[in-house]
Amino acid sequence: ARHLCLLFSAPLLRPRPSLTCKAGPEIQAFVIPHSHMDVGWVYTVQESMHAYASNVYSSVVEELSRVKSRKFIAVEQEFFRLWWVNVATDWHKKQVGQLLKEGRLEFIIGGQVMHDEAVTDVDDAILQLTEGHGFLYETFGVRPRFGWHVDPFGASATTPVLFALAGFDAHLISRIDYDLKDDMQKNKKLQFVWRGSPSLKEKQEIFTHTMDQFSYCTPSYLPFSNRSGFYWNGVALFPDPPKDGIYPNMSLPVTKETVELYAQTMVDNIKQRAQWFRTSHVLWPWGCDKQFFNASVQFMNMDVIMNYINTHSDKYGVAVQYATLQDYFQTVHQTNLSWDVRGNQDFLPYSTEPFQAWTGFYGSRNVLKGVARRASSLLYAAESLFTRYRISYPNGPVQKEWALDKLKALRWAVSEVQHHDGITGTESPKVADMYMEHLMQGMMGAEELLAAVFLLPQTLELSNDIHHTPQTRSTTHIIVYNPLAWNISTYINISVAYAMAVVLDDDGKAVPAQIQQSMESSTVYDLFFVVELGGLQYRMYIVQFPQSHCDTGSACGATHVARVVTFKKKNVSQWKRTGRKLLPVLNECYKLMFDQETNLLHSITDRQMRVRVQQDFWEYEANGDVHSGPISDNYIFTANGSAIPAYKSVAMEIVPGKVVSEIRQYFYREEEDKNHTYSVVTRVPVGFEGRLACFRLEQSYKVGPLEINRETVFRTRTSLKNNRTLFTDNNGYQMMKRTYKTFVNNTIARNYYPMVRAAYIQDDSSRVVFLSERAHGVASLSQGQLEVMLHRRLWNNQEWNLGYNLTLNDSSVVRPVLWMMLGSPSALSSIYQQEALQLQHRPVVMPIDQPQIVPDMPHPSFFSPLSYSPSCIHLSLLYYVLNISYSYARYACLNVYISFLGLNAPIRT
């Protein structure tokens, strides 16, 4: 245990006269007015601004200015910034500044959104936090000091570390497992010191407050009325506010007849909460979703109740006051108590009752999850490239203001989608479309910026190899950029329209390449070629398409023409003796054996270590009728029994190559089906001995469209003795050990965990690792088994879901990618994190028609790789260097976060 006083900086939490301890009522309640405003969910951001969000800040500022005792906390910066820029008058802006100085308006979290904690990547959580904090510091000179994560569906151990690193003094959470919260309430353990990082430990600990069973909303039950309690402005209406000002479910006004009834209800609830905490100070959140759009009627009624309670405090034993989190946490701090310490355990998964495991959203809206991560990676690439450009060409032709506008749009879009009803996939279809539109527009702008930088003047001297190339049909120029800080050697894949191609690098040298028939179309070919790039380096490659036969010794010889070998379709019902006829596919690191009786993977050998491995698709059948039992929806996964095989037959093609060997497996729902429902393509890199690419087995999936009420998993069964123990990453930051637990109900769903970047199973001698480029749900439900949920399509007749259009009738086809690695735990522990980042930040590939040549311009110096690029360091953020970004770089200074891959410990310099 540690004293809370050790966690706070004295200048921040200096005592205020109004909070001086004195004799008084037994319980002191801190009434914290707030409005929970989802940045998307059922309604788009634009709809929410129109219906209520603009009025929240306008009316709150007006009401705080009228009465000095009133206070308010503001959370989601996206809504506040839109109000500040588009709605607030000069008077409003002046008053906001004054209220901040007085401590009566307090920004909490300060991020663009209240980000999800299960399926967000740590880099994106940092991004959205930085985006909001930068605006606040630039505009007001303030920095938020407290977390308020009241609505994410479970709490990760990464978030308290991130908030501690950001200088927060305390953190507040709410949604944790129902039975755990009940136990913590009974034992008064809702408050503790959280050390979320196993490496940083007490260096980045933070005092954490867990909200009780009433969560962040004011209790809605009024024993003397059939209306909701303490919400006098009622419920927001969409799309337009009512012209008569009468909103649904407006609470009973406070009058002489009702004030005592209201006061007694509030006091009873305060005393009930007080029983669950160690101090006599009660945090009483006043507000809920979409509240305070009419702050006048809200404060006018609450003022009367609070004055009545304080006037009769001797009778009630309770005193109440408007407060911010600063007020509450400082008062708790002054009690000088010692608190239990919690290690790096998280609060995942999250269940609200036995059949309500919120593990479905780990896999909901797979397409959106993929686009969000691609947008984040593109933003990272664009920012790092433009940073190097500005270093070399501070007055270059790519204008700083234009470039920063492009980056800002994508930063906003990537930040926005991290909302806990965004990347989670728990939003309505029109909100998902909004996120997708903002992401795609932002990505287009970033690609314009990349093109502008790439097309800088450059001299391309071609060697004599080109003169040996036959006359060509056409030429394509490909620019490939490595956004990582270390050297890479890998392959890239582009689609071409011709059956033969020659690839030349920027020195005119022929590059090892491979061309083959695409599995997608008979008129398209896949061209693979090897790229060697230094840290933050880009190179140009020329792809030529010969018209005639290639001469011996010409550049064509560097391109291997791979042939597709087709195997007979195998029906599951006709499988006989498996494991007798095995077909090997080899590279320098692995030997994969495929069973010709089943067309499935049989085993993988890593040097001398052989592991049985079988992979295929399975489905969970979900219940869609609330009258027949528990259901699955956007949020919840309720397994209606064990998963069943999702196929009746399997076809296979193998493409032996000299850059990559490809195994294509097609899974048919029924034996007679002509079109497959699922496919997986496993790519085995060839010719990369001694390099990381050799260890990487890339698997690309095609899933869907699914039948209604199906949840599809890709299951890998191995001979490992892992005792159903799984390791998953926490937001891509640190690995968490997940031990299988047995429950009376819903055991399958409650053993699912989020995988953001990595998951693995292992025994004493072997480890099987999966790396992902988007979030998924993952579980180990049997010995040696690991399954990844790839896609969900659900419909149910629950009134609440139907009313908000949250049934997840997702008929899309999804194409996620996983990298699989196999080896000893000691061998893989040193490389899998680096590989996860390489999957996250794959080379940016941009085809261009012709490079633009402008005379008398020097060759750009940032064309060359970094002079020092150790593979153990990842430059996580690099966009404030040399003050190229917003003016609040003065606050951020040199905001470069460096992740030491062996320690999982980002530091700031």
Side-chain angles (χ1 to χ4, degrees):
R2 286 177 63 85
H3 288 289
L4 179 61
C5 60
L6 298 178
L7 305 180
F8 293 90
S9 56
L12 173 69
L13 292 179
R14 56 187 180 276
R16 294 179 180 171
S18 62
L19 295 177
T20 302
C21 296
K22 59 183 179 180
E26 180 182 346
I27 299 173
Q28 185 178 12
F30 294 79
V31 177
I32 300 183
H34 76 97
S35 181
H36 182 69
M37 297 188 282
D38 289 305
V39 182
W41 177 38
V42 177
Y43 304 103
T44 67
V45 169
Q46 295 79 3
E47 289 175 325
S48 294
M49 283 294 293
H50 176 73
Y52 78 94
S54 291
N55 287 339
V56 170
Y57 290 115
S58 294
S59 65
V60 163
V61 170
E62 292 161 8
E63 291 308 309
L64 296 187
S65 302
R66 287 194 178 101
V67 180
K68 293 295 184 180
S69 63
R70 295 170 175 172
K71 298 186 178 184
F72 192 82
I73 63 170
V75 183
E76 296 85 3
Q77 281 305 298
E78 178 153 335
F79 283 124
F80 181 84
R81 291 173 70 177
L82 289 171
W83 173 80
W84 182 263
V85 172
N86 301 314
V87 179
T89 65
D90 290 341
W91 180 87
H92 283 121
K93 293 181 178 180
K94 181 179 179 181
Q95 291 303 112
V96 167
Q98 182 61 33
L99 293 169
L100 289 170
K101 289 179 183 178
E102 297 172 3
R104 298 198 294 116
L105 175 65
E106 184 175 64
F107 290 110
I108 303 300
I109 305 177
Q112 192 75 348
V113 299
M114 185 187 299
H115 71 265
D116 170 66
E117 297 196 41
V119 297
T120 45
D121 188 90
V122 63
D123 284 353
D124 297 331
I126 293 172
L127 169 70
Q128 70 86 25
L129 194 68
T130 308
E131 185 71 11
H133 279 214
F135 166 77
L136 291 176
Y137 190 84
E138 180 185 55
T139 309
F140 306 111
V142 301
R143 285 200 298 157
R145 293 294 191 179
F146 301 100
W148 178 264
H149 264 222
V150 297
D151 203 27
F153 320 133
S156 79
T158 300
T159 301
V161 178
L162 172 59
F163 285 172
L165 287 166
F168 282 25
D169 294 315
H171 180 39
L172 187 148
I173 62 176
S174 182
R175 290 185 181 269
I176 66 173
D177 219 60
Y178 70 98
D179 47 4
L180 176 60
K181 177 176 282 193
D182 184 62
D183 181 72
M184 293 170 71
Q185 282 186 174
K186 291 176 181 177
N187 294 287
K188 295 188 177 184
K189 294 185 178 295
L190 291 171
Q191 294 171 316
F192 51 89
V193 174
W194 200 350
R195 296 174 181 170
S197 169
S199 56
L200 296 177
K201 298 180 180 177
E202 70 276 3
K203 295 178 183 178
Q204 296 298 341
E205 62 187 13
I206 191 166
F207 180 73
T208 303
H209 174 102
T210 310
M211 283 188 160
D212 54 50
Q213 67 187 40
F214 294 102
S215 190
Y216 63 87
C217 289
T218 306
S220 59
Y221 172 68
L222 291 177
F224 56 91
S225 171
N226 60 358
R227 304 190 197 180
S228 293
F230 307 96
Y231 303 137
W232 292 279
N233 55 194
V235 178
L237 279 182
F238 292 81
D240 298 306
K243 294 180 180 179
D244 59 3
I246 305 299
Y247 287 81
N249 211 24
M250 295 177 71
S251 192
L252 199 68
V254 178
T255 63
K256 292 181 180 179
E257 292 75 22
T258 61
V259 63
E260 185 174 0
L261 297 172
Y262 266 115
Q264 188 64 56
T265 300
M266 185 172 179
V267 166
D268 289 345
N269 183 260
I270 290 171
K271 289 184 174 180
Q272 183 180 9
R273 291 174 186 253
Q275 299 174 24
W276 300 326
F277 294 91
R278 293 177 60 197
T279 77
S280 59
H281 311 104
V282 174
L283 189 159
W284 204 77
W286 175 34
C288 197
D289 291 29
K290 311 176 189 66
Q291 284 294 313
F292 281 89
F293 52 85
N294 186 345
S296 175
V297 67
Q298 288 279 79
F299 280 113
M300 181 178 64
N301 282 275
M302 183 59 88
D303 286 349
V304 177
I305 298 174
M306 292 176 62
N307 289 336
Y308 186 88
I309 292 173
N310 287 333
T311 302
H312 299 84
S313 60
D314 291 341
K315 167 188 171 183
Y316 290 124
V318 171
V320 294
Q321 67 178 75
Y322 290 123
T324 63
L325 283 189
Q326 162 86 10
D327 299 330
Y328 173 74
F329 281 121
Q330 179 173 312
T331 304
V332 174
H333 160 63
Q334 291 172 344
T335 63
N336 204 30
L337 292 174
S338 296
W339 304 91
D340 290 343
V341 172
R342 183 179 183 88
N344 66 309
Q345 308 96 325
D346 60 9
F347 291 95
L348 292 169
Y350 163 60
S351 295
T352 51
E353 57 183 80
F355 286 103
Q356 300 282 310
W358 293 44
T359 58
F361 76 90
Y362 304 158
S364 295
R365 297 203 188 282
N366 184 275
V367 173
L368 177 63
K369 284 178 166 65
V371 173
R373 289 279 286 279
R374 287 201 301 274
S376 173
S377 297
L378 181 62
L379 174 64
Y380 179 92
E383 287 180 331
S384 62
L385 184 69
F386 185 60
T387 297
R388 295 204 72 191
Y389 170 76
R390 289 290 297 177
I391 292 172
S392 299
Y393 293 100
N395 299 310
V398 181
Q399 294 298 311
K400 181 179 75 172
E401 292 75 15
W402 174 83
L404 292 179
D405 283 344
K406 300 296 183 184
L407 293 175
K408 184 178 180 180
L410 186 52
R411 286 171 62 83
W412 186 293
V414 174
S415 296
E416 175 187 73
V417 79
Q418 307 310 316
H419 169 58
H420 57 268
D421 278 305
I423 198 169
T424 54
T426 54
E427 67 277 2
S428 66
K430 67 178 177 181
V431 175
D433 292 342
M434 177 201 73
Y435 291 131
M436 193 73 77
E437 180 183 355
H438 293 172
L439 289 167
M440 297 304 292
Q441 289 177 347
M443 292 169 73
M444 289 175 61
E447 288 171 350
E448 291 176 16
L449 171 57
L450 287 172
V453 174
F454 285 148
L455 295 179
L456 273 173
Q458 49 194 295
T459 302
L460 189 65
E461 297 180 0
L462 305 180
S463 75
N464 292 333
D465 278 352
I466 293 180
H467 301 150
H468 297 296
T469 305
Q471 185 179 2
T472 60
R473 296 187 180 94
S474 62
T475 300
T476 297
H477 295 80
I478 306 290
I479 291 178
V480 184
Y481 172 59
N482 171 26
L484 293 167
W486 61 76
N487 301 340
I488 64 169
S489 176
T490 187
Y491 62 86
I492 65 170
N493 176 26
I494 62 172
S495 295
V496 297
Y498 303 107
M500 185 57 192
V502 175
V503 183
L504 306 165
D505 64 18
D506 41 46
D507 293 322
K509 301 291 186 181
V511 172
Q514 175 180 320
I515 196 165
Q516 62 196 41
Q517 181 69 57
S518 171
M519 62 181 289
E520 298 293 336
S521 170
S522 59
T523 61
V524 175
Y525 298 87
D526 291 330
L527 176 63
F528 299 88
F529 60 93
V530 176
V531 295
E532 306 271 357
L533 292 164
L536 302 184
Q537 182 190 21
Y538 75 81
R539 301 183 68 178
M540 180 183 293
Y541 296 86
I542 298 176
V543 182
Q544 297 181 335
F545 304 100
Q547 285 185 342
S548 58
H549 180 73
C550 291
D551 297 330
T552 303
S554 70
C556 293
T559 300
H560 170 68
V561 179
R563 306 301 180 189
V564 179
V565 181
T566 302
F567 293 82
K568 184 179 179 181
K569 183 178 177 182
K570 297 291 186 177
N571 296 331
V572 174
S573 61
Q574 297 173 345
W575 286 357
K576 297 178 181 177
R577 295 182 60 185
T578 61
R580 292 186 305 162
K581 298 173 61 178
L582 301 180
L583 182 69
V585 178
L586 311 173
N587 75 351
E588 295 83 355
C589 292
Y590 299 118
K591 178 169 69 173
L592 286 72
M593 305 296 287
F594 288 86
D595 193 334
Q596 296 185 63
E597 180 67 24
T598 64
N599 285 337
L600 297 178
L601 180 62
H602 176 272
S603 61
I604 302 177
T605 300
D606 167 42
R607 295 180 174 87
Q608 303 301 317
M609 187 184 306
R610 178 175 176 270
V611 176
R612 285 291 305 271
V613 181
Q614 182 172 317
Q615 297 181 311
D616 51 5
F617 292 92
W618 293 64
E619 287 182 341
Y620 290 97
E621 296 183 359
N623 171 42
D625 184 2
V626 295
H627 303 293
S628 299
I631 60 167
S632 287
D633 63 10
N634 284 28
Y635 307 86
I636 295 165
F637 170 39
T638 304
N640 188 21
S642 300
I644 60 174
Y647 61 96
K648 296 290 182 62
S649 60
V650 186
M652 182 172 66
E653 297 173 342
I654 294 181
V655 187
K658 294 187 177 179
V659 174
V660 57
S661 291
E662 196 171 80
I663 303 95
R664 305 167 178 176
Q665 294 166 293
Y666 307 92
F667 294 79
Y668 297 81
R669 183 177 297 279
E670 302 295 339
E671 291 182 0
E672 63 274 10
D673 287 352
K674 294 184 178 180
N675 297 318
H676 60 275
T677 305
Y678 308 105
S679 69
V680 55
V681 178
T682 302
R683 291 180 177 141
V684 182
V686 180
F688 290 89
E689 184 175 8
R691 290 172 285 187
L692 278 179
C694 179
F695 295 92
R696 176 192 314 151
L697 301 173
E698 178 176 299
Q699 294 194 315
S700 301
Y701 310 91
K702 180 180 177 183
V703 183
L706 302 182
E707 294 182 348
I708 289 288
N709 289 329
R710 294 291 190 273
E711 304 178 69
T712 299
V713 301
F714 187 70
R715 181 173 287 180
T716 299
R717 287 165 286 176
T718 75
S719 55
L720 271 61
K721 308 298 184 183
N722 73 318
N723 296 319
R724 297 187 290 189
T725 297
L726 174 70
F727 293 81
T728 69
D729 68 311
N730 222 222
N731 307 106
Y733 174 61
Q734 58 194 6
M735 298 303 294
M736 308 288 289
K737 184 177 181 179
R738 312 295 194 179
T739 304
Y740 183 88
K741 299 179 179 66
T742 301
F743 300 91
V744 175
N745 299 302
N746 216 19
T747 292
I748 292 175
R750 296 186 73 175
N751 277 286
Y752 251 81
Y753 295 91
M755 173 178 67
V756 178
R757 289 188 191 173
Y760 63 79
I761 59 174
Q762 67 179 25
D763 57 20
D764 292 339
S765 58
S766 300
R767 176 184 291 180
V768 174
V769 178
F770 282 92
L771 309 174
S772 62
E773 38 73 83
R774 68 189 73 180
H776 301 283
V778 63
S780 179
L781 303 175
S782 299
Q783 180 83 291
Q785 181 200 96
L786 186 150
E787 67 181 38
V788 181
M789 186 170 287
L790 298 180
H791 199 11
R792 315 176 74 221
R793 184 180 183 184
L794 304 165
W795 187 93
N796 63 76
N797 59 359
Q798 182 170 274
E799 184 176 350
W800 185 81
N801 281 336
L802 294 175
Y804 286 130
N805 196 12
L806 296 175
T807 57
L808 197 66
N809 188 7
D810 186 351
S811 60
S812 62
V813 175
V814 303
R815 300 172 184 269
V817 173
L818 295 176
W819 285 359
M820 181 171 64
M821 305 172 70
L822 183 144
S824 68
S826 59
L828 292 187
S829 63
S830 63
I831 63 173
Y832 80 90
Q833 290 175 309
Q834 186 177 349
E835 280 291 85
L837 284 167
Q838 193 153 325
L839 174 57
Q840 185 96 343
H841 300 290
R842 285 172 286 184
V844 176
V845 180
M846 290 194 67
I848 57 175
D849 294 332
Q850 290 290 338
Q852 298 177 2
I853 306 294
V854 179
D856 303 324
M857 286 290 287
H859 194 278
S861 60
F862 65 92
F863 187 91
S864 59
L866 292 180
S867 57
Y868 179 66
S869 53
S871 60
C872 62
I873 292 180
H874 172 50
L875 299 177
S876 186
L877 296 175
L878 188 64
Y879 42 73
Y880 291 129
V881 179
L882 299 182
N883 196 25
I884 67 163
S885 192
Y886 314 108
S887 61
Y888 54 77
R890 293 189 303 272
Y891 147 63
C893 192
L894 180 58
N895 199 3
V896 180
Y897 290 73
I898 304 175
S899 298
F900 287 88
L901 301 182
L903 296 177
N904 283 321
I907 64 171
R908 291 181 298 178
T909 59

